[in-house]
């Protein structure tokens, strides 16, 4: 096995079947289109296929294990007992999810025992997939038997990339909610980075179900669901077939059957090919044939309907009942219409290898594909691919996903027996030109979108979704995320300006108590080392004070409301402050003279701060007013903060100007073309920076007081929310968000 595979495919069954002959086990490779499309990718990228081997673990053990085939692809069998298979597979998968997701609500069994087995078995699949993979491996989970696997993979190994594809329909909310565990299933799927469906309608149903059933747990827009702090992409990827293979089996044009219109007396062939399943509408289809013969006596003796039916899920009782029903209907109709040399229905209850099946497709004048509900239906596409002379007519059910793409087919409601009979009549009497025009349009479409394109497209989307999911991780607010992330991703570098008090730490009674939490310090240390992230701490505090409090090397510090800046390659003192020194000293002396109890005077080089936090509340306003008068008397500028009033040189310089100064010094005058500037602050002095950056940067105001208006672009609740955003920035995810 490759040391760390890039891709692990997880499906209910491994892509081969194992049969028991006495004590011996025999392996038969599956020949399906999905296997044909996935194996080359797995071979190329190095890959593992995880699934059930098709026989119980006891059988495997008694045969002395199993030598699984392989090459560059490794196969890992998930061990399951016979009892588990009957509960999880025959039970919850095929008696609960399958009928419900195909809108057979009345046939849905609700059984807690099978649900618990399903959960346990899904967990086992996840465990095997995790063991077979490494960090960053993409684990691609398939289908309705494994809806909970993404959840368990995420729980066991959060560093894996996960994609999920559902091969059957996804129902509308009112249907899904019948299931007591519907929420668990949605959560299970939402643990993936990408959730894929055949057609947009199923993706829409899924989004609606997530919204209705999970409520405030999710938030979605444009096919992106925000769930548990991650972004999950929900998309449609219509599956297709191996067209080249079918065409090769169908033979080269001009060979075999002659053009059907050559002989008007010829018996026209109608073909149905299905797994035996009540969703495929075989019984209704037979009634359509009967209705045609009832209404149009001219077709008696002139048509032959061949129904190929491969038995499936024989352990599920509904399938045996259905088999008997179909047998009876075929017998009854043949009994009614057969003549000594003609019977209307030829019924083959068996599987047929592709080498025989494809020539049958090619020969058939009409394919009658009328499922009552079908995720996609590959038979319709296979029939089209085999029409090398563009001869045949496809009748397809509007309940099949395939109808979405195959619009030039005759589309019918399979429940409407009259409509099926009418479509058959129309197909049988369709003029050549119309028939060829329809079929050539269908063939063009199927040929350009084959299963290889499907695998490529899905894997590309899965990679992009994984990057996106990680980029969106831990971002605190949807509003901020949606508008900020794409904006940040537009330039290579982010310059992040962080105020200290009230932004990185909560406001406390004494300024010296405003210490960074350990988590914030560690995140700042990480941020200092993050490539393309330039972190600047901005404060009204004195330079050495703020440097000591933060104490993280490698950061830039803008102190004293911008009058002093110190950082890698940057050391700045505003030249104009020295002539205000006398005024500042005189103001400080006057403030002492005020004698207000609890007030604190702080000399900070080119500014003076008057702290009133510890002044009795009823006296605070008056204290601030008196301090303001003092500063004004000495012709100093006044800045009011939270419980602090600063006197500073009367120079047009503030936090905003200082921020611009740092940006220009560090990145050049044309910084906006290279850098995204983001400022986060909480105080009135930060409003200067918010104003300066309007239009050329973005700003976030911390605190949710609706009374206080702000010039900032966004708001965050508190320093905890700032920490979350900081963590996301420190992870470098803003660079990945470009994808
Ligand atoms: P299925 O329900 O199995 O698949 P379908 O898409 O029609 O349905 O695929 C059936 C396949 O089996 C075809 O490749 C067909 O050729 C083959 N087949 C059917 N009867 C056969 C017979 N008697 N002998 C030999 N071969 C036979 C599920 C979903 C579909 C979805 C597929 C793929 O139910 O809606 O299209 O997965 O995603």
């Amino acid at each position: 096995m490759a040391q760390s595979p890039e891709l692990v495919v997880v499906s209910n069954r491994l892509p081969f079947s194992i049969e028991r002959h006495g004590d011996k086990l025999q392996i038969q490779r599956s020949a399906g289109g999905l296997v044909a499309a996935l194996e080359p990718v797995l071979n190329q990228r190095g890959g593992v296929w995880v699934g059930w081997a098709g026989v119980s673990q006891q059988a495997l053990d008694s045969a002395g294990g199993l030598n699984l085939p392989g090459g560059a692809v490794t196969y890992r069998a998930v061990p399951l007992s016979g009892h588990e298979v009957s509960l999880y597979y025959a039970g919850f998968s095929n008696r609960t999810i399958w009928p419900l997701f195909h809108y057979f609500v009345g046939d849905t069994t609700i059984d807690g025992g099978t649900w618990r087995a399903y959960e346990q078995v899904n967990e086992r699949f996840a465990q095997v997939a995790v063991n077979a993979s490494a960090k960053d491996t993409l684990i691609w989970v398939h289908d309705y038997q494994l809806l909970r696997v993404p959840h368990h993979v995420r729980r066991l190994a959060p560093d894996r990339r996960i994609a999920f594809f559902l091969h059957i329909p996804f129902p509308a909310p009112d249907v899904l909610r019948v299931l007591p565990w519907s929420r668990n299933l949605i959560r299970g799927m939402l643990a993936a980075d990408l959730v894929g469906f055949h057609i947009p309608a199923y993706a829409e149903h899924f989004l609606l179900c997530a919204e209705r059933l999970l409520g405030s747990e999710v938030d979605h827009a444009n096919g992106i669901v925000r769930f548990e702090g991650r972004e999950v992409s929900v998309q449609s990827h219509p599956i297709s077939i191996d067209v080249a293979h079918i065409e090769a089996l169908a033979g080269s044009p001009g060979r075999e059957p002659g053009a059907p219109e050559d002989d008007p007396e010829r018996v026209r062939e109608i073909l149905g090919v299905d797994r035996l399943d009540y969703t495929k509408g075989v019984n209704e289809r037979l009634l359509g044939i009967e209705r045609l013969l009832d209404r149009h006596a001219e077709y008696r003796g002139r048509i032959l309907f061949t129904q190929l039916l491969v038995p499936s899920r024989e352990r599920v009782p509904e399938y045996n009942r259905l088999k008997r029903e179909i047998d009876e209907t075929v017998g009854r109709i043949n009994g009614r219409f057969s003549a000594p040399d003609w019977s209307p229905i030829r019924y083959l209850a068996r599987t047929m290898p592709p080498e025989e099946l494809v020539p049958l497709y090619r020969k058939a004048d009409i394919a009658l594909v009328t499922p009552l509900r079908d995720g996609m239906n590959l038979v319709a596409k296979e029939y089209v691919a085999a029409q090398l002379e563009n001869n045949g007519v496809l009748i397809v059910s509007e309940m099949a996903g395939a109808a979405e793409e195959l619009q030039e087919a005759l589309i019918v409601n399979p429940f409407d027996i009259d409509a099926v009979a009418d479509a058959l009549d129309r197909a049988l009497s369709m003029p050549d030109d119309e028939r060829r025009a329809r079929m050539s349009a269908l063939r063009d479409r199927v040929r350009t979108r084959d299963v290889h394109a499907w695998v490529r497209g899905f894997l590309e989307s899965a990679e992009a979704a994984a990057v996106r999911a990680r980029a969106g991780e831990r971002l605190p607010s949807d509003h901020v995320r949606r508008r900020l992330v794409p904006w940040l991703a537009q330039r290579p570098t982010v310059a992040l300006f962080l105020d200290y008090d009230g932004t990185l730490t909560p406001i406390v009674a004494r300024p010296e108590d405003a210490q960074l939490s350990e988590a914030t310090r560690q995140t700042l240390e990480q941020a200092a080392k993050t490539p393309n992230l330039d972190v600047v701490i901005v404060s009204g505090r004195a330079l050495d004070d703020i440097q000591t409090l933060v104490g993280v090397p490698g950061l830039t510090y803008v102190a004293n409301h911008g009058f002093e800046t110190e950082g890698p390659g940057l050391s700045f003192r505003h030249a104009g402050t020295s002539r205000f020194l006398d005024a500042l000293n005189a103001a400080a002396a006057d403030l002492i003279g005020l004698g207000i109890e609890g007030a604190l005077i702080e000399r900070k080089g080119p500014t003076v701060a008057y702290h009133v936090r510890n002044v009795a509340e009823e006296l605070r306003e008056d204290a601030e007013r008196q301090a303001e008068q003092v500063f004004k008397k000495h012709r100093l500028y006044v800045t009011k903060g939270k419980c602090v009033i600063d006197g500073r040189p009367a120079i047009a310089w503030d936090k905003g100007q200082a921020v611009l100064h740092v940006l220009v010094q560090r990145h050049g005058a044309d910084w906006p073309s290279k850098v995204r500037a983001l400022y986060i602050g909480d105080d009135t002095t930060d409003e200067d920076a918010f104003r300066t950056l309007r239009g050329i940067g973005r700003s976030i105001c911390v605190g949710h007081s609706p009374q206080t208006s702000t010039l900032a672009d966004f708001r965050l609740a508190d320093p905890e929310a700032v920490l979350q955003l900081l963590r996301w920035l420190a992870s470098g995810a803003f660079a990945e968000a470009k994808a």
Side-chain angles (χ1 to χ4, degrees):
M1 172 192 143
Q3 273 308 302
S4 50
E6 273 193 45
L7 179 62
V8 171
V9 171
V10 188
S11 63
N12 173 51
R13 291 288 295 268
L14 284 170
F16 42 76
S17 58
I18 296 176
E19 278 165 28
R20 210 175 158 173
H21 297 281
D23 284 350
K24 291 228 164 55
L25 296 178
Q26 255 185 13
I27 295 174
Q28 189 84 41
R29 268 168 172 281
S30 310
L34 183 60
V35 182
L38 278 172
E39 285 211 322
V41 180
L42 286 166
N43 271 315
Q44 189 197 343
R45 298 168 57 135
V48 179
W49 198 312
V50 169
W52 178 46
V55 287
S56 72
Q57 191 58 28
Q58 293 94 310
L60 280 181
D61 293 344
S62 68
L66 186 66
N67 209 359
L68 295 179
V73 187
T74 309
Y75 298 96
R76 291 285 178 86
V78 179
L80 296 177
S81 71
H83 184 57
E84 280 171 330
V85 173
S86 70
L87 292 178
Y88 131 86
Y89 179 69
F92 198 76
S93 298
N94 285 324
R95 299 193 72 189
T96 304
I97 300 181
W98 179 271
L100 187 67
F101 280 38
H102 285 88
Y103 291 74
F104 286 77
V105 182
D107 298 317
T108 302
T109 305
I110 303 293
D111 175 350
T114 62
W115 156 249
R116 282 188 289 280
Y118 182 87
E119 178 75 340
Q120 269 172 20
V121 169
N122 270 240
E123 191 173 354
R124 185 138 357 119
F125 270 82
Q127 188 66 66
V128 175
V130 166
N131 293 346
S133 58
K135 180 174 183 298
D136 288 336
T137 298
L138 175 65
I139 297 182
W140 184 2
V141 183
H142 287 262
D143 225 359
Y144 67 102
Q145 305 92 345
L146 305 176
L147 297 172
R148 292 281 298 160
V149 169
H151 165 81
H152 290 293
V153 171
R154 178 78 58 202
R155 189 175 56 76
L156 294 165
D159 60 3
R160 305 301 196 263
R161 298 166 186 235
I162 309 171
F164 181 86
F165 187 81
L166 186 69
H167 290 261
I168 66 172
F170 197 89
D174 281 346
V175 172
L176 190 73
R177 67 178 356 134
V178 165
L179 194 66
W181 309 282
S182 55
R183 289 172 182 82
N184 307 55
L185 297 188
I186 299 172
R187 289 193 195 102
M189 295 164 82
L190 281 174
D193 304 314
L194 170 66
V195 182
F197 301 93
H198 286 305
I199 58 170
Y202 307 157
E204 281 159 23
H205 286 163
F206 178 75
L207 292 171
L208 265 180
C209 286
E211 185 184 305
R212 302 253 174 98
L213 300 175
L214 299 188
S216 58
E217 280 180 58
V218 297
D219 169 37
H220 74 90
N222 305 322
I224 303 290
V225 182
R226 189 153 166 76
F227 175 68
E228 292 187 338
R230 291 176 306 104
E231 291 194 341
V232 185
S233 303
V234 176
Q235 298 172 358
S236 64
H237 287 264
I239 200 171
S240 192
I241 53 167
D242 190 349
V243 176
H245 185 59
I246 302 264
E247 286 185 343
L249 290 176
S252 53
R255 249 183 45 196
E256 253 213 280
E261 64 273 26
D262 286 356
D263 173 10
E265 295 306 307
R266 192 175 57 86
V267 170
R268 303 294 204 86
E269 293 192 24
I270 305 165
L271 180 64
V273 177
D274 302 83
R275 250 182 343 91
L276 174 72
D277 199 298
Y278 50 86
T279 61
K280 301 292 182 183
V282 175
N283 218 31
E284 291 75 4
R285 185 182 311 165
L286 290 165
L287 299 180
I289 296 284
E290 182 181 34
R291 186 72 45 95
L292 177 79
L293 294 171
D294 263 335
R295 286 203 180 158
H296 297 274
E298 70 273 21
Y299 290 128
R300 294 180 194 170
R302 302 269 313 282
I303 61 161
L304 172 63
F305 174 52
T306 302
Q307 175 65 54
L308 201 58
L309 210 53
V310 57
S312 75
R313 303 178 194 167
E314 285 151 286
R315 294 215 264 177
V316 182
E318 286 79 7
Y319 287 72
N320 295 319
R321 205 178 321 133
L322 177 72
K323 172 89 175 57
R324 284 197 301 277
E325 226 174 87
I326 292 172
D327 288 352
E328 278 169 26
T329 310
V330 171
R332 186 175 59 73
I333 298 172
N334 273 344
R336 271 191 70 196
F337 296 103
S338 289
D341 57 348
W342 173 78
S343 291
I345 300 169
R346 178 169 61 156
Y347 172 37
L348 309 175
R350 62 179 168 87
T351 182
M352 197 177 260
E355 309 79 68
E356 288 175 44
L357 175 61
V358 175
L360 214 60
Y361 279 140
R362 186 177 172 195
K363 231 166 118 252
D365 298 273
I366 297 166
L368 191 51
V369 184
T370 52
L372 302 180
R373 189 72 57 174
D374 212 337
M376 173 55 72
N377 193 295
L378 295 178
V379 169
K381 292 189 174 184
E382 289 166 358
Y383 175 72
V384 167
Q387 294 307 297
L388 300 184
E389 289 93 3
N390 297 332
N391 263 337
V393 181
L394 172 66
I395 300 176
V396 72
S397 157
E398 63 183 274
M399 310 295 170
E404 187 101 343
E405 283 176 280
L406 305 179
Q407 284 294 316
E408 296 84 358
L410 299 186
I411 295 175
V412 292
N413 177 344
F415 293 94
D416 185 348
I417 308 299
D418 288 336
V420 174
D422 287 348
L424 280 166
D425 177 35
R426 189 171 162 208
L428 287 164
S429 55
M430 188 179 283
D432 290 353
D433 288 348
E434 182 184 346
R435 207 177 57 223
R436 285 182 200 282
R438 288 181 182 280
M439 188 48 76
S440 69
L442 289 169
R443 271 193 79 215
D444 281 352
R445 180 133 353 89
V446 171
R447 293 180 85 189
T448 51
R449 300 222 293 239
D450 71 354
V451 73
H452 298 283
W454 178 77
V455 168
R456 272 196 309 276
F458 186 85
L459 288 175
E460 274 167 24
S461 298
E463 299 287 349
V467 168
R468 184 184 183 109
R470 286 182 185 188
E473 241 166 54
R474 298 185 306 267
L475 256 178
S477 137
D478 285 331
H479 178 64
V480 173
R481 172 183 48 83
R482 266 195 226 128
R483 289 177 51 199
L484 196 58
V485 172
W487 180 81
L488 288 174
Q490 282 165 3
R491 298 288 182 278
T493 302
V494 172
L496 175 65
F497 297 88
L498 293 161
D499 170 54
Y500 185 82
D501 294 276
T503 299
L504 288 175
T505 65
I507 296 286
V508 290
R510 298 187 315 165
E512 60 272 30
D513 290 341
Q515 301 290 333
L516 281 182
S517 71
E518 200 41 43
T520 306
R521 183 182 312 284
Q522 281 175 8
T523 310
L524 281 173
E525 279 166 4
Q526 191 195 342
K529 295 183 198 134
T530 303
N532 301 320
L533 180 63
D534 187 5
V535 183
V536 182
I537 307 291
V538 185
S539 175
R541 289 177 184 255
L543 184 60
D544 53 350
D545 182 15
I546 188 68
Q547 278 177 323
T548 312
L549 276 173
V550 177
V552 174
L555 303 184
T556 299
Y557 295 88
V558 171
N560 244 327
H561 301 296
F563 288 113
E564 297 172 303
T565 297
E566 195 78 61
L570 202 67
S571 182
F572 165 80
R573 305 281 178 282
H574 196 291
T577 57
S578 53
R579 62 193 164 92
F580 291 90
L581 214 60
D582 290 348
L584 288 159
N585 287 337
D590 282 2
L591 289 171
I592 295 169
L594 291 178
I596 294 173
E597 204 180 320
L600 191 94
I601 298 145
E602 189 189 2
R603 274 308 312 267
K604 306 186 290 181
T607 66
V608 174
Y610 192 66
H611 297 277
V612 295
R613 268 191 196 91
N614 298 331
V615 173
E617 211 175 320
E618 62 279 13
L619 301 175
R620 232 178 249 164
E621 210 174 297
D622 188 50
E624 283 184 0
R625 203 175 33 77
Q626 290 193 48
E628 191 175 344
Q629 280 169 1
V630 169
F631 289 134
K632 283 190 173 158
K633 184 178 117 194
H634 295 285
R635 298 179 189 280
L636 294 167
Y637 276 177
V638 176
T639 308
K640 286 183 185 167
K642 287 178 182 159
C643 293
V644 62
I645 178 157
D646 278 15
R648 55 189 175 104
I651 303 169
W653 193 259
D654 55 28
K655 282 183 173 179
Q657 299 305 313
V659 162
L660 276 188
H661 178 74
V662 170
L663 284 164
V664 172
Q665 292 298 310
R666 210 24 71 74
H667 306 283
D670 62 341
W671 65 266
S673 65
K674 298 177 269 183
V675 179
R676 286 307 198 197
L678 175 65
Y679 189 106
I680 312 180
D682 73 308
D683 211 340
T684 42
T685 56
D686 297 311
E687 293 289 330
D688 294 328
F690 299 161
R691 184 183 304 105
T692 304
L693 284 176
R694 275 198 88 86
I696 46 173
R698 293 285 187 274
S699 52
I700 301 179
C701 177
V702 182
H704 274 304
S705 163
Q707 294 91 341
T708 44
S709 65
T710 176
L711 293 167
D713 300 291
F714 309 101
R715 282 183 189 264
L716 282 179
D718 50 25
E720 190 51 40
V722 175
L723 175 60
Q724 281 186 340
L725 177 58
L726 186 59
R727 278 196 177 123
W728 179 80
L729 288 161
S731 73
F734 59 89
E736 292 175 32
K738 278 187 197 66

